[in-house]
């Protein structure tokens, strides 16, 4: 088993270090190789996704990824910005299916900004299409201003598009996931306004006929955002496009107490996967040792389960995370009075002890 480790920017290095520490106490045989990605790669090699990093990722059985991005790169040309690294990995590896589970741990019910009764027992799965939509639409661009400068441009455009096969394959992923859960899929679209999402709705409906046991409903994205905070437990599997999925998964993350808890898996047709926390690089808290490593540790568990065929080891990690939460250990983002505030490293160490 070969795992490519790509910590990236901001808190990426700190949180990935904790996840790697956890992987090493499981007694499994695997090799790791670390490479630069994002802003750090740009600084060192002049590109956020150097050829060597992409090659490493493509050849590995799985990729453990931290986060990329920093406001200090906002002025760079778009192809050189850190975010292009994760988008490039997704596109080049064909990682079209993004799983973002939002589970509210019993111990964290009070850490959410929502009332406990709304989120206690919450367990929903957002499935986000990851290689299409407006993120990768062509044409895209800005019309150069009369003085020849982009920053003065008067107009900009991005193109939203999906093809039938792209929608079909993500719909199958969603229905198959629902078959293993509560057999309910909510497809989120904006068919009332956008042609792209009328096609989305039609194709998901067609694919759904192959899964008669699964209940399918459709919801406009604005309503879905509202329902997520109004009555989140009525969802089981939500499936949606790249951009709506980006937005809704951040909203869903907060239901669980903190975005610092939310892991994710991005899979291709060969079950090769990239595993990353759903949160970003948080440059404002980078280097302070206060970031929550649990989303990354839980992403490593998803990696063991989905790409490395080590479901038991994954279960052990998840149980260890529950145990440290039960012990009352909390990083700053999930801290509430009566619990014990710990640093990034202490949280990683606690998971390691729980595993031992
Ligand atoms: C995410 C992030 C990325 C996205 C950024 C960093 C490109 O927000 O994984 O949700 O928009 O997909
Ligand atoms: Mg996002």
């Amino acid at each position: 088993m070969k795992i490519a480790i790509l910590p990236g920017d901001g808190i990426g290095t700190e949180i990935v270090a904790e996840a790697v520490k956890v992987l090493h106490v499981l007694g499994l045989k695997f090799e790791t190789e670390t490479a630069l990605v994002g802003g750090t790669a740009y600084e060192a090699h002049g590109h956020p996704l150097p050829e060597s990093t992409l090659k490493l990722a493509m050849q590995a059985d799985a990729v453990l990824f931290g986060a990329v991005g920093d406001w200090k790169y906002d002025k760079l040309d778009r192809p050189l910005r850190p975010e292009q690294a994760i988008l490039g990995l997704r596109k080049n590896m064909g990682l079209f299916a993004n799983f973002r589970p939002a589970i509210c741990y019993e111990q964290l019910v009070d850490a959410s900004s929502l009332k406990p009764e709304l989120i206690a027992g919450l367990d929903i799965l957002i499935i986000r299409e990851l290689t299409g939509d407006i993120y990768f639409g062509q044409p895209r661009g800005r019309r150069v201003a009369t003085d020849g400068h982009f920053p003065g441009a008067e107009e900009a455009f991005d193109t939203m598009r999906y093809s039938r096969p792209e929608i079909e394959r993500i719909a199958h992923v969603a229905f198959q996931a629902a078959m293993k859960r509560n057999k309910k899929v909510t497809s989120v679209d904006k068919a009332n306004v956008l042609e792209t999402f009328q096609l989305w709705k039609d194709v998901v409906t067609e694919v759904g006929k192959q899964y008669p046991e699964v209940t399918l409903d459709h919801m406009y994205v604005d309503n879905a955002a509202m329902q997520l905070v109004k009555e989140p437990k009525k969802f089981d599997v939500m499936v949606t496009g790249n951009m709506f999925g980006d937005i809704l998964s951040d909203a869903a993350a907060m239901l669980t107490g903190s975005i610092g808890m939310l892991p994710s898996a991005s899979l291709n047709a060969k079950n090769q996967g990239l595993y990353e926390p759903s949160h970003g690089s948080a440059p404002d808290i980078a280097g302070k040792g206060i970031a929550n490593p649990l989303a990354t540790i839980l992403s490593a568990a998803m990696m063991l389960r989905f790409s490395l065929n080590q479901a038991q080891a994954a279960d052990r990690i998840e149980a260890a995370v529950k145990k440290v939460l039960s012990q009352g250990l909390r990083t700053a983002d999930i801290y509430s009075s009566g619990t014990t505030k710990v640093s990034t490293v202490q949280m990683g160490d606690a998971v390691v002890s729980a595993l031992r």
Side-chain angles (χ1 to χ4, degrees):
M1 295 193 294
K2 181 155 179 188
I3 307 173
I5 310 278
L6 309 181
D9 306 325
I11 58 171
T13 14
E14 300 161 57
I15 53 177
V16 167
E18 297 315 306
V20 170
K21 198 156 87 183
V22 167
L23 284 170
H24 278 296
V25 296
L26 296 167
L28 302 172
K29 268 220 181 92
F30 60 86
E31 248 178 77
T32 62
E33 196 174 329
T34 304
L36 294 177
V37 75
T40 48
Y42 170 76
E43 307 271 356
H45 304 291
H47 197 279
L49 182 58
E51 201 57 46
S52 53
T53 300
L54 179 60
K55 201 171 145 204
L56 171 70
M58 306 258 285
Q59 287 171 350
D61 296 298
V63 180
L64 186 63
F65 189 92
V68 290
D70 194 314
W71 302 298
K72 69 182 177 205
Y73 303 113
D74 282 358
K75 293 249 149 45
L76 286 178
D77 278 349
R78 187 162 306 279
L80 295 178
R81 292 198 203 166
E83 288 78 5
Q84 295 303 312
I86 184 65
L87 298 177
L89 282 165
R90 289 170 182 169
K91 197 68 178 174
N92 281 292
M93 296 176 71
L95 304 167
F96 70 93
N98 185 210
F99 289 71
R100 297 194 163 180
I103 295 170
C104 183
Y105 289 92
E106 187 191 312
Q107 300 87 346
L108 291 184
V109 165
D110 292 318
S112 173
S113 47
L114 295 196
K115 290 194 192 107
E117 61 269 28
L118 284 183
I119 49 155
L122 179 83
D123 179 356
I124 63 184
L125 174 62
I126 297 187
I127 295 186
R128 168 187 178 194
E129 199 292 328
L130 211 51
T131 53
D133 202 350
I134 198 164
Y135 270 56
F136 294 98
Q138 295 295 336
R140 73 186 320 198
R142 261 182 291 176
R143 289 209 208 286
V144 182
T146 39
D147 62 1
H149 284 97
F150 271 132
E154 293 291 330
E155 192 189 16
F157 48 95
D158 298 273
T159 313
M160 180 177 272
R161 71 168 283 293
Y162 265 120
S163 66
R164 173 176 286 271
E166 284 172 321
I167 304 168
E168 281 171 354
R169 65 181 182 176
I170 194 72
H172 280 291
V173 168
F175 286 110
Q176 280 160 19
M179 285 297 287
K180 296 187 196 145
R181 297 172 48 101
N182 295 323
K183 302 202 168 108
K184 192 173 163 209
V185 170
T186 304
S187 170
V188 177
D189 64 59
K190 191 71 188 176
N192 51 345
V193 178
L194 302 170
E195 284 305 311
T196 316
F197 277 92
Q198 183 62 56
L199 179 68
W200 176 281
K201 187 173 182 176
D202 294 346
V203 174
V204 173
T205 305
E206 273 174 44
V207 172
K209 295 196 178 115
Q210 297 174 42
Y211 301 86
E213 284 175 60
V214 179
T215 311
L216 168 66
D217 58 16
H218 303 273
M219 203 178 269
Y220 296 140
V221 62
D222 46 351
N223 185 25
M226 182 177 81
Q227 299 301 332
L228 256 184
V229 284
K230 186 174 172 230
E231 210 186 328
K233 281 192 268 186
K234 76 172 173 206
F235 294 108
D236 178 23
V237 173
M238 287 178 110
V239 62
T240 190
N242 204 345
M243 185 162 68
F244 298 159
D246 179 43
I247 301 166
L248 293 179
S249 60
D250 264 35
M254 256 335 278
L255 305 173
T256 71
S258 166
I259 194 164
M261 294 298 301
L262 216 77
S264 84
S266 306
L267 303 181
N268 64 18
K270 298 178 291 191
N271 258 1
Q272 214 187 3
L274 180 147
Y275 299 83
E276 55 172 330
S278 284
H279 61 71
S281 54
D284 52 328
I285 60 162
K288 296 188 178 163
I290 59 173
N292 186 347
L294 293 179
T296 315
I297 291 171
L298 291 167
S299 299
M302 288 182 96
M303 173 175 82
L304 291 166
R305 181 172 294 121
F306 287 149
S307 288
L308 304 177
N309 212 5
Q310 298 287 342
Q312 250 188 326
D315 291 344
R316 282 182 63 205
I317 294 181
E318 286 162 0
V321 167
K322 283 188 192 145
K323 185 162 175 201
V324 301
L325 293 174
S326 300
Q327 289 164 348
L329 305 182
R330 304 280 188 273
T331 41
D333 56 311
I334 48 177
Y335 175 78
S336 56
S337 69
T339 61
T340 312
K341 202 183 271 183
V342 296
S343 69
T344 309
V345 172
Q346 287 169 326
M347 187 57 109
D349 288 343
V351 176
V352 165
S353 321
L355 277 167
R356 285 202 168 122

